Amino acid sequence: KTISEISIGDSSEFSKTISESDIYLFAGITGDMNPFHIDEQYASKTFFKGRIAHGVLLAGFISTVVGCHLPGPGTIYISQDLKFKAPARIGDTIKARVEVIEIINDKNRVVLETTCTNQQGVVVLTGTAVVSPGKV
């Protein structure tokens, strides 16, 4: 969508169940081999009591919504702030949601509230993104 096609309150979502291979592939691509993510023996002895997904993997789900759904193809990310609220684990189905909270027409910018929740409705990530919709 172009900025003229977007309204305050517009929203979109993307859901994905996190698999073990998602964790290993993300670790391999990024080089983030933190044992919280890839070493069950280590992670089981921490306050998380088991492996957790990379937080930035969840942020990638938000990027999917922004780049593929709202505003959609042609959108450029300007900024994203993230607050990690709870761990996401292998087997969790994460729903990434964005909602338009501000439109800055003269700068071709849209401000989005961003949220990820798990299958029980627990918020695992919140934040705000600023994006520039495509000018198609």
Side-chain angles (χ1 to χ4, degrees):
K1 292 184 173 183
T2 64
I3 199 159
S4 64
E5 299 170 309
I6 297 170
S7 301
I8 302 284
D10 285 355
S11 65
S12 189
E13 299 174 346
F14 167 79
S15 294
K16 174 151 182 17
T17 301
I18 298 171
S19 69
E20 186 167 28
S21 62
D22 293 330
I23 301 297
Y24 286 121
L25 288 168
F26 189 85
I29 290 166
T30 63
D32 183 351
M33 301 293 177
N34 186 325
F36 273 105
H37 310 303
I38 62 169
D39 184 338
E40 182 60 40
Q41 186 175 12
Y42 172 89
S44 68
K45 297 175 185 168
T46 70
F47 57 89
F48 290 121
K49 306 291 185 219
R51 288 186 296 161
I52 60 172
H54 299 77
V56 179
L57 174 61
L58 306 180
F61 298 161
I62 294 168
S63 180
T64 297
V65 181
V66 169
C68 296
H69 305 286
L70 181 67
T75 299
I76 300 296
Y77 244 115
I78 305 299
S79 66
Q80 171 81 60
D81 78 48
L82 301 169
K83 294 175 185 74
F84 300 100
K85 302 290 193 173
R89 302 175 186 280
I90 294 168
D92 281 351
T93 298
I94 301 299
K95 177 173 64 177
R97 182 177 192 278
V98 305
E99 181 176 339
V100 176
I101 58 172
E102 184 180 355
I103 299 170
I104 308 166
N105 284 297
D106 60 327
K107 293 188 177 186
N108 194 47
R109 301 284 191 266
V110 176
V111 181
L112 303 166
E113 178 180 59
T114 59
T115 310
C116 289
T117 55
N118 68 17
Q119 66 279 2
Q120 284 128 6
V122 173
V123 174
V124 297
L125 178 154
T126 63
T128 306
V130 178
V131 301
S132 180
K135 296 182 178 186
V136 178

